[in-house]
Structure formats: C-alpha cells, structure tokens
Amino acid sequence: MKVGIYQNYPQFGKTEENVGHALEELGKVDADLMVLPELFNTGYQFVSEEEVFNLAEEIPAGMTCRAMTGLARKKGLFLVFGLAEKDGDRLYNSAAVIGPDGLIGKYRKIHLFDEERSFFSPGDTGFRVFDIGKARIGVMICFDWWFPEASRALAIMGADIICHPANLVLPGCQQAMTTRSLENGVFSATANRIGVESRGGKAALTFTGKSQVLNCKGEFLTGLERDRIGISTVEIDVTQSRDKTIARQNNRFLDRRPEFYGSLTKK
Ligand code: ACM
C-alpha cells in the first residue's frame, strides 16, 4: 500500500483556505493513506478558549470532515488529520480517521502540551486502532510521542502503522520515532507543519517540519524538509509489521514481562 504525509503552513484561523489547500494538493496524490498535521485546518497558537470554540468543529458534522470525506470518496483514500473538536461545550484536540465511506473513528489527544491545557479537555477516547482494510492504523497526536506508552499501547492493540499528526515545537521527536518504530515493530507516519506563529503577544512558536515515514525497523523511508510545505508518499509492505521477531529466541511482545511493569500503570 502507499502511505504519505502532507506538510503544511496553515494561515491561522483561515479554516476554509487551509482545507482548500489540502483538498487541492491531496487531489493530485495517488495513495491509500495520507496523514496530515495536528490542527491542520486552524493553526496552533490560540489566544483564548473563545477563539478555539469559534474555530472548533463537530466530528463528523463540521465543514472540515465533510470536505475531507468528499476527497476520500473521490480518491478512494483514507485520511488521518488533526482538528479542534467541539462536542457540546467541550473542546478536544482531536484526530479524525476518514475513508471513502465517511468517518471511521476519532482520537482525542491524551497528553496535552503546555498551553493546550488551558484550551482543551484531556482526551477521553483512549488509544485506538482502526482497521482500514489494507492496514490497521493506530493514532496518536504530537506530544504523545514523548510517552512511549502511547506507541506501545497502539502496537499491542495491533497497529501496523502509527499515524501521528503533529505540530512539533520541541526537538527530538523525529529521532525518538525511530525508536518507537523499532521497539514496537511498526511503521510510523509523522505529519508535521512548518512556519512560525506569534499571536497575542505570546512567545513565538517555531514548528520543525521534517515530516517522515519510517519502517518497522525505524529506518527512514521518506520525508520532507524543515522549511517547505509538500507531500511525500512511499510504497510499504504492511505485513512486515506483523512479524515481531527480534532474534531467533526473542519476540518483542512474547518476551514482555508485564508482571514486572506494574509501576507503569500507577499514578
Ligand atoms: C504539541 O504537542 N503540539 C507540541
């Protein structure tokens, strides 16, 4: 199957333009699965909860999900993208998984980063793996990379590919995902954005680009530069992720000793 990443530079608050750009660029792509950045349609640096509320959308009733469903249907494509989700009076930093028949599922970011804590409720969906036919995909969002438990949980749940919408500002993620892919024997697709946001007198945030797809040995398959928007795709054999062998007598999952990992699930 062919997997790809879309790296953008959204104009803050211009949801229709940002979605329009994605539709135009992804409309030219031949792929089975495309991963887009976190909050790809709005931009990142909100200044108030009210501002988030005005830009957030329902999943799947909102404009962004409807537009992306149209694209998925036309292209026979599966899409994973981040957006601010409105559910009643609650706001979540979410990712939607959409296919040719519409919404497959959503994930609400579990580990909120820095000021996101002022604007979004912590995710309550748990980690989720979705079967899209050609692969089982697990979803995590940006700062979840910092917590190896996130990728591990997704891999144990059977993910072949970790789809990772991101708006990265800290260094280290692209390298860390090498280990996340290697230790779990999964492909990973991190879709990041580029550019700078400095709103409401707040310190500027610089996003690190370098979106990438890694194989299940943690090897780099394809990626984008630090400072350019674009799309990149790569053909993968997803069945490679189902062999969890490390050495003749070792297996990533069969060798686990969860009886000694209790401290990981204590508060
Ligand atoms: C982040 O989680 N967007 C840094």
Side-chain angles (χ1 to χ4, degrees), residues 38 44 109 113 116 142-143 167 169:
E38 176 184 17
Y44 183 81
K109 187 174 184 178
F113 178 67
E116 291 172 30
C142 203
F143 189 52
N167 270 196
V169 292

Side-chain angles (χ1 to χ4, degrees), residues 81-128:
F81 53 90
L83 74 168
E85 180 194 358
K86 185 186 314 192
D87 182 6
D89 58 1
R90 293 215 162 223
L91 296 166
Y92 298 95
N93 183 342
S94 295
V97 179
I98 277 184
D101 296 327
L103 183 73
I104 295 169
K106 66 183 170 190
Y107 163 70
R108 293 172 167 165
K109 187 174 184 178
I110 285 180
H111 302 103
L112 294 174
F113 178 67
D114 208 14
E115 282 203 337
E116 291 172 30
R117 302 169 87 102
S118 313
F119 303 134
F120 295 108
S121 295
D124 57 0
T125 51
F127 292 107
R128 289 181 162 179

